[in-house]
Amino acid sequence: MATKALASWAVNLSYSSLPPEVVRAAVASFYNYAGCAIGGSNHPTATKASTALAPFFGTSTSSILGSQGKQKADAQHAALINGIACHIHDYDDTHLETIIHPAGPVASALFAYAEVKRPVNGKDFILALVAGIEAECKCGLAVWPAHYDIGWHITSTTGSIGAAVAVGKLLNLSVEQMQHAIGIAATQVTGLREMFGSDTKSFHPGRAAQNGLLAAVLASKEYTSSLTALEAKRGWANVVDAKPHQLDKYMASLGKEWETAKNSFKPFPCGIVIHPVIDGCVQVRKDMQAAGANVEDIESIHAKVHHLVLELTGKRTPKDGLEAKFSVYHGGAIGLVFGKGTPSQYDDSVVVDPKVTSVRDKMTATADESIRADETIIEVKMKDGKTFQKHITHAIGSLEVPLTEDLLQTKFLDQAELVIGAEGAKKASERCWALESVDDVASIAEVL
Amino acid sequence: MATKALASWAVNLSYSSLPPEVVRAAVASFYNYAGCAIGGSNHPTATKASTALAPFFGTSTSSILGSQGKQKADAQHAALINGIACHIHDYDDTHLETIIHPAGPVASALFAYAEVKRPVNGKDFILALVAGIEAECKCGLAVWPAHYDIGWHITSTTGSIGAAVAVGKLLNLSVEQMQHAIGIAATQVTGLREMFGSDTKSFHPGRAAQNGLLAAVLASKEYTSSLTALEAKRGWANVVDAKPHQLDKYMASLGKEWETAKNSFKPFPCGIVIHPVIDGCVQVRKDMQAAGANVEDIESIHAKVHHLVLELTGKRTPKDGLEAKFSVYHGGAIGLVFGKGTPSQYDDSVVVDPKVTSVRDKMTATADESIRADETIIEVKMKDGKTFQKHITHAIGSLEVPLTEDLLQTKFLDQAELVIGAEGAKKASERCWALESVDDVASIAEVL
């Protein structure tokens, strides 16, 4: 009875039962989501979608993020477009056990609908967000990894269900209505991995947000579905998984083990395998600065890395921002030159800037069997013979070394400034951090 | 290269290359679709959806069928709601080899969008409709039967693709844009069979219509997807099928073997296994009338049937219209009492009407190994000892004995009259039959 178990748990979940670290993680997840959605909002993948769909927009209730409240659409289209935007730079949150990016589908649906169902206060919003994230991650765990291996984009296939539970929670659905909402969401299995590398990858979390929002709204008007949609013989888990699913096991852990608390945030907008190198080079730069050493005086850079780093990101001379995401050498160079890796350091102009390429060309990397995927050893030799070394045992952004609130804020500002300016980004950041105490979540929308 | 083959075929398809029987079948498919959509439009499954979603409606461009042009929505919502309505009574068309109901997803998307992109003339509409129906049926054949056996509702999983190709044809997409449209549609795999028996079953063709419409509109604005969405290793066919797919084989048959021409139309709004009995009893009634015999004077009725008839539809004393759909005895009774089986004969009041139940209770049925699924032998004994017998070798509505245009018209009128009155139904019927010659398909909408 997984469907009923999930529905019943979500309907009965109260704010007072949320551990403080879960509330903190939920706020951070929303905060990171908002920054990524603003950051992606002016990318062609998002603007093509909003241009194409504008003729279908309904009443302007819900904000398109990145427009500071100036562009609105009906909640369904806002959910789609914000859900697309937040995923474009591959910079969103990650539930590491399932590699689900949980916030996108859930927060996109919830935030868009919170502007319809006003006022939704911060606590109710967080409660619904947690219900949704738990729903999608538990469903994901139940079918992981076979489901992903077959070819499903797990973020969106589970995201539809998460979004339905979240909006259903906001709508105060009964247990049976929530079961129907889960069913209507579950029957919309959106997301093939084959679409990776195209605009459609980002479409997935956006459409999942819509799927779930639609499901919850229909269920609230007594639209019916299967009451055992997840676990039935021809239900979701059996149809989308290649192995016997583990729904019961994971539904039994609802409220006992919190997936929301395990959400992690990428520090850099590129493949996760490069993260240790960027982290290491950022730290070497600090040591160099403390010792009065200049980047111009570097003789050579060497990184000992996990073999996947060279297999996946061995591009020696990337020509633009997209190629740079697959170059560990660009990653090392920006760490040393800028002391950070934000979307600005992946701008096409930066990738071919001689200040960057001259450092990049001094770098070598070798795979070493003793190095784990989130580990690296960086060695920088200066022209005067001095050396700087850094051993990164767990890269920043891993569960062991999570992104600090400061770094999360820097990440937000770095993305948002490019779209809404420094002043706007600062205001947006403050408003998002204060999520728990707002009386009407819609009041946040106008600054995002 | 199945995706490119399908896209290229659809883009290059011209009206002059359509054989006359394909045009006839397409018009009949649209006609039957329109009748079913009007017939289902006032059912709670449709009205719950339109009530729930009305707050999200955009500009009123596209008609909700059954309202005679009085209710409109944006094209996406009209496509959804008409797609739901047409499937509610399980009365829509059937491509027998795949049991896809082809017209619902395709015509719902196309008709709604034709009211946006005015004027679309009848021939262009038919051309797009054929392209869409061929696309969905060829995709369906390629994954049949394993895809259905796993638990996918093949009407909607292939319907999304069909709707995308149809609307893409209307939008004059390039071959590459059409490939992207197919990809965006293919990634939205909507429809689990687990939902059968609930409102969500009818949601499937409606959502498929939306999925495809959305895909084509996005692709028209250069939104990208995989160019090999159907055949890639992690593409549609491999992910949704349990066996190696047969895409190449069926794509090679495009334009050579026309699936549209194989579309069939149900004469009765109930499970297909009861159809021979209703057909037989309707014919016995004609013989009785010719001989001056009255239904009241029947002593007993016996039907020799295929074993599935009793397994699936053996309900002796149905209590309402829904239960009656699973009663071969009700089917026989309405054939003898009314000489037809239309939605009116499945009204709750008719099911408990003594005129019907007294006949029903005189009926027995036995399974016989020699009887095929579309066959029956009916024997009616009168109180005066006279008997009437009818051997139905292939029930009406089968490929061997297709519904005549007259019967298709009766089916349309029987459904539509209940919603828009006899006068309205007649007008709607005439307008739909004239599809090929209209200058603007939108002119049909106002009478449906």
Side-chain angles (χ1 to χ4, degrees):
Chain A
M1 297 304 287
T3 309
K4 190 169 184 182
L6 174 57
S8 172
W9 175 82
V11 165
N12 292 309
L13 186 67
S14 67
Y15 197 78
S16 61
S17 68
L18 301 181
E21 70 272 19
V22 171
V23 172
R24 269 200 305 277
V27 173
S29 299
F30 171 72
Y31 180 84
N32 183 72
Y33 159 77
C36 291
I38 296 172
S41 66
N42 60 1
H43 189 279
T45 300
T47 55
K48 277 187 285 187
S50 49
T51 304
L53 301 177
F56 303 105
F57 285 4
T59 314
S60 297
T61 55
S62 306
S63 304
I64 309 289
L65 301 191
S67 75
Q68 297 176 301
K70 286 192 271 295
Q71 280 176 48
K72 294 193 180 228
D74 62 277
Q76 290 195 41
H77 279 104
L80 173 66
I81 290 162
N82 294 335
I84 290 173
C86 77
H87 194 54
I88 289 173
H89 292 305
D90 279 319
Y91 209 12
D92 41 356
D93 54 338
T94 309
H95 178 256
L96 292 166
E97 273 178 79
T98 56
I99 64 165
I100 290 172
H101 305 293
V106 176
S108 297
L110 208 49
F111 200 59
Y113 198 67
E115 289 193 83
V116 173
K117 194 188 173 302
R118 295 183 67 169
V120 173
N121 71 42
K123 290 189 168 62
D124 286 343
F125 186 89
I126 291 168
L127 183 62
L129 184 64
V130 171
I133 291 177
E134 295 297 319
E136 66 186 325
C137 291
K138 296 298 186 189
C139 287
L141 285 163
V143 297
W144 177 264
H147 174 68
Y148 189 79
D149 292 342
I150 304 166
W152 292 108
H153 189 184
I154 192 168
T155 289
S156 44
T157 56
T158 64
S160 301
I161 298 167
V165 169
V167 177
K169 182 73 180 165
L170 215 56
L171 282 164
N172 288 312
L173 298 187
S174 69
V175 172
E176 195 169 299
Q177 287 174 325
M178 188 68 96
Q179 287 171 266
H180 289 308
I182 292 167
I184 304 168
T187 206
Q188 303 173 71
V189 192
T190 298
L192 297 173
R193 281 173 60 196
E194 168 60 19
M195 308 307 161
F196 287 9
S198 78
D199 292 333
T200 302
K201 178 171 191 267
S202 298
F203 172 77
H204 293 164
R207 189 60 165 171
Q210 272 193 319
N211 290 343
L213 170 56
L214 180 60
V217 168
L218 285 173
S220 76
K221 299 293 180 192
E222 311 305 338
Y223 207 83
T224 62
S225 185
S226 163
L227 292 169
T228 54
L230 296 177
E231 70 274 23
K233 185 182 163 207
R234 291 204 178 95
W236 182 82
N238 285 320
V239 173
V240 303
D241 195 2
K243 292 183 321 181
H245 62 73
Q246 301 193 69
L247 280 170
D248 287 340
K249 172 181 161 188
Y250 285 104
M251 293 309 160
S253 73
L254 279 163
K256 289 172 192 138
E257 191 161 349
W258 296 89
E259 306 307 324
T260 309
K262 297 188 220 157
N263 210 7
S264 73
F265 307 103
K266 272 189 180 181
F268 315 116
C270 60
I272 205 160
V273 294
I274 309 182
H275 291 197
V277 167
I278 304 179
D279 188 7
C281 287
V282 168
Q283 295 196 36
V284 166
R285 183 177 188 266
K286 278 186 198 151
D287 293 346
M288 285 171 58
Q289 284 182 322
N294 290 318
V295 171
E296 294 77 34
D297 301 324
I298 289 175
E299 173 76 25
S300 69
I301 308 147
H302 181 259
K304 225 183 249 183
V305 297
H306 186 260
H307 70 93
L308 269 181
V309 176
L310 295 177
E311 284 172 33
L312 297 176
T313 60
K315 202 168 269 293
R316 264 269 40 135
T317 52
K319 286 182 197 62
D320 56 28
L322 189 60
E323 287 194 5
K325 293 192 178 214
F326 300 93
S327 171
V328 65
Y329 309 105
H330 180 75
I334 58 175
L336 287 164
V337 173
F338 300 102
K340 60 182 175 179
T342 76
S344 295
Q345 282 73 52
Y346 283 87
D347 193 88
D348 291 349
S349 65
V350 170
V351 176
V352 293
D353 182 339
K355 228 170 62 189
V356 173
T357 56
S358 65
V359 177
R360 182 191 75 195
D361 294 345
K362 291 175 184 159
M363 181 168 169
T364 53
T366 50
D368 190 301
E369 275 194 12
S370 69
I371 301 284
R372 280 170 296 98
D374 62 345
E375 183 181 6
T376 192
I377 298 171
I378 305 288
E379 190 171 78
V380 173
K381 278 193 188 140
M382 306 304 290
K383 286 173 182 161
D384 64 6
K386 207 177 275 175
T387 65
F388 295 90
Q389 218 203 41
K390 202 74 187 182
H391 184 184
I392 299 293
T393 48
H394 296 287
I396 182 80
S398 63
L399 273 185
E400 291 80 2
V401 187
L403 219 57
T404 61
E405 290 199 355
D406 269 4
L407 285 172
L408 199 56
Q409 189 175 327
T410 304
K411 176 182 172 184
F412 184 106
L413 295 174
D414 282 338
Q415 292 186 87
E417 279 176 7
L418 296 176
V419 179
I420 56 175
E423 201 52 45
K426 195 164 161 280
K427 207 164 161 185
S429 166
E430 285 164 8
R431 204 72 74 87
C432 286
W433 266 137
L435 175 63
E436 195 182 357
S437 61
V438 298
D439 294 326
D440 181 357
V441 168
S443 69
I444 301 180
E446 66 201 33
V447 300
L448 298 189
Chain B
M1 298 303 290
T3 308
K4 191 169 183 182
L6 175 57
S8 173
W9 174 82
V11 165
N12 292 307
L13 186 67
S14 66
Y15 197 79
S16 61
S17 67
L18 300 182
E21 69 273 20
V22 171
V23 172
R24 270 201 305 278
V27 173
S29 297
F30 171 73
Y31 180 84
N32 183 70
Y33 159 77
C36 291
I38 296 171
S41 65
N42 61 0
H43 188 279
T45 299
T47 55
K48 278 188 283 187
S50 49
T51 304
L53 301 177
F56 304 105
F57 285 4
T59 314
S60 296
T61 55
S62 306
S63 305
I64 309 288
L65 302 190
S67 76
Q68 296 176 302
K70 286 193 270 296
Q71 279 176 49
K72 293 192 179 229
D74 62 277
Q76 290 194 43
H77 279 105
L80 173 66
I81 291 162
N82 294 335
I84 291 173
C86 77
H87 194 54
I88 289 172
H89 291 304
D90 280 319
Y91 208 14
D92 40 356
D93 53 339
T94 308
H95 177 256
L96 291 166
E97 272 178 80
T98 57
I99 64 164
I100 290 172
H101 305 291
V106 175
S108 297
L110 209 49
F111 200 59
Y113 198 67
E115 288 192 84
V116 173
K117 193 188 173 302
R118 295 185 68 170
V120 172
N121 70 45
K123 290 188 169 63
D124 286 344
F125 187 90
I126 290 169
L127 182 63
L129 183 65
V130 170
I133 291 177
E134 295 296 320
E136 65 185 327
C137 291
K138 296 296 185 189
C139 287
L141 285 163
V143 297
W144 177 266
H147 174 67
Y148 189 79
D149 291 343
I150 303 166
W152 292 108
H153 188 185
I154 193 168
T155 289
S156 43
T157 57
T158 64
S160 300
I161 298 167
V165 168
V167 177
K169 181 72 180 166
L170 216 56
L171 282 163
N172 286 312
L173 297 189
S174 69
V175 172
E176 196 170 297
Q177 287 174 325
M178 188 68 96
Q179 287 171 266
H180 290 307
I182 292 167
I184 304 169
T187 207
Q188 304 173 70
V189 192
T190 297
L192 297 173
R193 281 173 60 197
E194 168 60 19
M195 308 308 160
F196 288 10
S198 78
D199 291 333
T200 302
K201 178 169 192 267
S202 298
F203 172 77
H204 292 164
R207 189 60 165 171
Q210 272 194 318
N211 290 342
L213 170 57
L214 181 60
V217 168
L218 285 172
S220 76
K221 300 293 181 192
E222 311 305 338
Y223 206 84
T224 62
S225 186
S226 162
L227 291 169
T228 54
L230 296 177
E231 70 274 23
K233 186 183 163 207
R234 292 205 176 94
W236 183 82
N238 285 319
V239 173
V240 304
D241 195 3
K243 294 183 320 178
H245 61 73
Q246 301 193 70
L247 279 170
D248 287 340
K249 172 181 161 188
Y250 285 104
M251 293 310 159
S253 73
L254 279 162
K256 290 172 190 135
E257 191 161 348
W258 296 89
E259 306 307 324
T260 309
K262 299 186 218 156
N263 210 8
S264 74
F265 307 102
K266 273 187 180 181
F268 313 117
C270 59
I272 206 159
V273 293
I274 308 181
H275 291 197
V277 166
I278 304 179
D279 188 7
C281 287
V282 168
Q283 295 195 36
V284 166
R285 182 175 188 267
K286 279 187 198 149
D287 293 347
M288 285 172 57
Q289 284 182 320
N294 289 319
V295 171
E296 295 77 36
D297 301 324
I298 289 176
E299 172 77 26
S300 69
I301 309 148
H302 181 258
K304 223 182 248 184
V305 296
H306 186 261
H307 69 93
L308 269 180
V309 177
L310 294 178
E311 284 172 33
L312 298 176
T313 60
K315 202 167 268 292
R316 265 267 42 131
T317 52
K319 288 181 194 63
D320 56 29
L322 189 59
E323 287 194 6
K325 294 193 179 217
F326 300 92
S327 172
V328 64
Y329 309 106
H330 180 76
I334 57 175
L336 287 163
V337 173
F338 300 102
K340 60 182 176 178
T342 78
S344 294
Q345 281 75 51
Y346 283 87
D347 193 87
D348 290 349
S349 65
V350 171
V351 176
V352 293
D353 182 339
K355 225 169 63 186
V356 173
T357 56
S358 65
V359 177
R360 183 190 75 195
D361 296 343
K362 291 176 183 161
M363 180 167 170
T364 53
T366 50
D368 190 301
E369 275 194 13
S370 70
I371 300 282
R372 280 169 297 98
D374 62 344
E375 183 182 6
T376 192
I377 297 169
I378 304 287
E379 191 172 78
V380 173
K381 280 195 186 140
M382 306 303 292
K383 287 176 180 159
D384 65 5
K386 207 178 278 178
T387 66
F388 295 90
Q389 217 202 43
K390 201 76 186 178
H391 183 183
I392 299 291
T393 50
H394 296 287
I396 182 80
S398 62
L399 274 185
E400 290 80 3
V401 188
L403 219 57
T404 60
E405 289 198 357
D406 270 4
L407 284 172
L408 199 57
Q409 188 175 327
T410 305
K411 177 182 172 184
F412 183 107
L413 295 173
D414 282 337
Q415 292 186 86
E417 279 175 7
L418 295 176
V419 179
I420 55 175
E423 201 54 43
K426 194 163 161 279
K427 208 163 161 186
S429 166
E430 284 163 6
R431 203 72 74 89
C432 286
W433 266 136
L435 175 64
E436 195 182 359
S437 61
V438 298
D439 293 326
D440 182 356
V441 168
S443 69
I444 300 179
E446 67 202 33
V447 299
L448 297 190

